[in-house]
Amino acid sequence: MSEALQQIISSKRMPVLFIGSGLSKRYLSAFPSWEQLLDQLREKIGVSKAAYSARQQQIKSQQPGITPGKLHQKMASYLRDRLLACIEQGTIDPLSLFTKEECRQCEDAGIEYFKLLVTKQLGTYTFNESKSDELALLRKIGEKVSMIYTTNYDSFLEKEVFPKFQVYASQNKYYFRTSNGFGELFKIHGCVNTPNSIIICEEDYQRFESSLKLVSSKLLNSLLDFPILFLGYSLEDENIKSILLDFMDSFDNSIIQEIKKYILLIVYEAGQEDLVEGEKVFTNEGTGKSITLTTIKTDNFQALYRYIDNLTPAASVYELRKYKTMLAELVADSSKGRKKIYVQDIEEAGASGLALYIGRQEFIEEVQKSVYIYSKEDVIQMALEGRVFDYNSFASVWYETKSISCTEYTPVFLIRNKLTIPYENCSEKFRKNYESRVNFFQTCPVKDFQGSIETIREKYRRQRCEKKDIKRVCQNICSDLFNALTSGKVSDEVGLDFLKQMLQDSADVLQQSPYKRVLCLIWYRQYEQKKAQRTG
């Protein structure tokens, strides 16, 4: 039995996992180490082994004692420079390494050739079938882990192990207000899905190290609430050293001694079936501060995962993330003047007397009053973003109180599809709006559209760059999108994604009738036409 792990289980605090490339190597076949990755890139670029070795020897002679990590950073910079020079001189045709679309991204969108090449090396993988049972256990503990930090570029963790976690793929995304501390995966060295975010060259690490205190700060905040387990790193890994040394530079010894109780380094040792506890001392030679951490050496990761699975949190990490997100949205909306929080006798209640209820509005006292606060634009946006709301109350009350005319474009088809009350119990204005819009789309003439979604996107980008009035942009773009949808040139899913992008660019589109018309068309096609096909 591992005393250190047992202490974590007894605390009933969900751990944070800090995951390195060793875990990807364990579960993926032929997954490269950093050194192997650079060698693969060397071959792709056409640098000979002799030239590569000569540059390594030159660096080592200039910097005796350079660490393997620092050497790899410099060699990555060397390969990047060689690749760019060869492309510039014409000795490498980019099409020999990349597709036409990838070349266009590099030329027009500023994607770095070298980092794109890295993503191509790591973008695909196959599983190590001998570890399938162990991997299933790792997936299972997803509900017992609060957060994950990783220095891995590959997408194995978010796609195969923790698919429900919210992914933050670069440092500038870690501190968004939407980050709530549960069910989140932070890729602190970037991700293959966003090539330019990858930290691999010497200059990348210099920029990263200058902002490392931000990562350490977030980790420290995690330690106040959760233990941290390092997985997939060696004891000499420079990523661990950098973070721990930064801890020691930032806090006095009493805090350091408190922190160390909640950090475990899980180290792979081939063939070791037991969980062997030990210690590792990390010392800052400049300040003399040190921290002694508990290590567990093992090859029996199933036993490790079973320990974590013994945790019994009151709610799953996904539920906690959902609750915190919901509360944050409620507070934010209320602070903007949209009343969504109703408090009763809070002045008379102590902390032990408080409780929170979140549920369907029809089960809350005087629910009808609560739907009054939503504007027409609020309801359209909620429907567009896929947010769940009380469809019954909106159909029976909201359309009437807002005096929605029969010719307005609203989420009427979505709401009708979600109703759990009889259609006859809906308000007259809801039913008139529904019947009018059904008739409109049934009799709407189909106009051919010569083009594709890319045609529409390019036109939209051009008009945005020309800073045309949003009303005119919506008139032009949404008219094209409407015709493209009805003539089958664009799918509903693609059209909906485009409309969401327009809303992100400007909230004013919700005021424009052409925008609401094409959105209403998509809901009509998704719900009414499919319903007719099922019953026809």
Side-chain angles (χ1 to χ4, degrees), residues 106-165:
C106 294
E107 294 164 4
D108 299 339
I111 302 298
E112 296 183 36
Y113 286 107
F114 183 67
K115 292 184 178 180
L116 183 58
L117 193 60
V118 173
T119 68
K120 288 173 73 69
Q121 289 299 113
L122 299 176
T124 58
Y125 49 78
T126 56
F127 292 109
N128 178 355
E129 295 299 332
S130 68
K131 298 293 183 183
S132 58
D133 291 344
E134 183 178 299
L135 182 56
L137 273 176
L138 177 58
R139 291 191 180 107
K140 185 180 178 184
I141 66 172
E143 295 192 1
K144 311 292 180 72
V145 174
S146 59
M147 289 180 288
I148 296 167
Y149 294 83
T150 182
T151 50
N152 297 354
Y153 311 136
D154 61 271
S155 57
F156 165 66
L157 290 175
E158 60 265 38
K159 284 186 176 180
E160 312 296 345
V161 188
F162 306 103
K164 294 182 180 180
F165 274 52

Side-chain angles (χ1 to χ4, degrees), residues 34-63:
W34 194 357
E35 186 174 9
Q36 291 167 337
L37 173 63
L38 292 176
D39 195 55
Q40 292 171 2
L41 296 170
R42 174 193 64 75
E43 289 186 354
K44 289 280 185 181
I45 297 169
V47 175
S48 69
K49 279 191 174 182
Y52 190 80
S53 178
R55 174 51 67 97
Q56 284 185 315
Q57 291 178 24
Q58 182 185 48
I59 293 172
K60 290 178 180 178
S61 66
Q62 293 172 346
Q63 299 182 47

Side-chain angles (χ1 to χ4, degrees), residues 70 75 79 84 94 121 151 156 190 265 280 288 319 325 330 339 344 357 407-408 439 458 460 513 536:
K70 295 290 184 183
M75 295 310 296
L79 291 175
L84 294 179
Q121 289 299 113
T151 50
F156 165 66
L265 306 181
K280 171 69 175 178
E319 291 171 328
T325 301
L330 289 171
K339 185 171 178 59
Q344 185 178 25
Y357 175 79
T407 59
E408 290 188 61
N439 181 66
E458 180 56 36
Y460 175 67
S513 183

Side-chain angles (χ1 to χ4, degrees), residues 170-221:
S170 60
Q171 282 197 51
N172 63 340
K173 297 183 184 294
Y174 302 162
Y175 305 96
F176 280 0
R177 61 186 177 187
T178 52
S179 172
N180 57 43
F182 291 101
E184 297 172 337
L185 194 160
F186 300 94
K187 307 194 72 168
I188 64 176
H189 280 182
C191 179
V192 291
N193 296 328
T194 51
N196 281 4
S197 70
I198 287 177
I199 295 172
I200 187 169
C201 298
E202 184 177 26
E203 297 83 357
D204 300 325
Y205 275 91
Q206 288 171 351
R207 287 191 295 271
F208 173 74
E209 287 170 2
S210 68
S211 58
L212 185 60
K213 285 187 181 294
L214 295 177
V215 178
S216 298
S217 173
K218 193 165 183 67
L219 270 174
L220 182 64
N221 288 334

Side-chain angles (χ1 to χ4, degrees), residues 477-497:
I477 300 302
C478 292
S479 176
D480 284 351
L481 184 57
F482 189 94
N483 294 333
L485 286 162
T486 55
S487 61
K489 300 297 176 59
V490 172
S491 69
D492 296 338
E493 293 75 15
V494 171
L496 200 61
D497 286 342

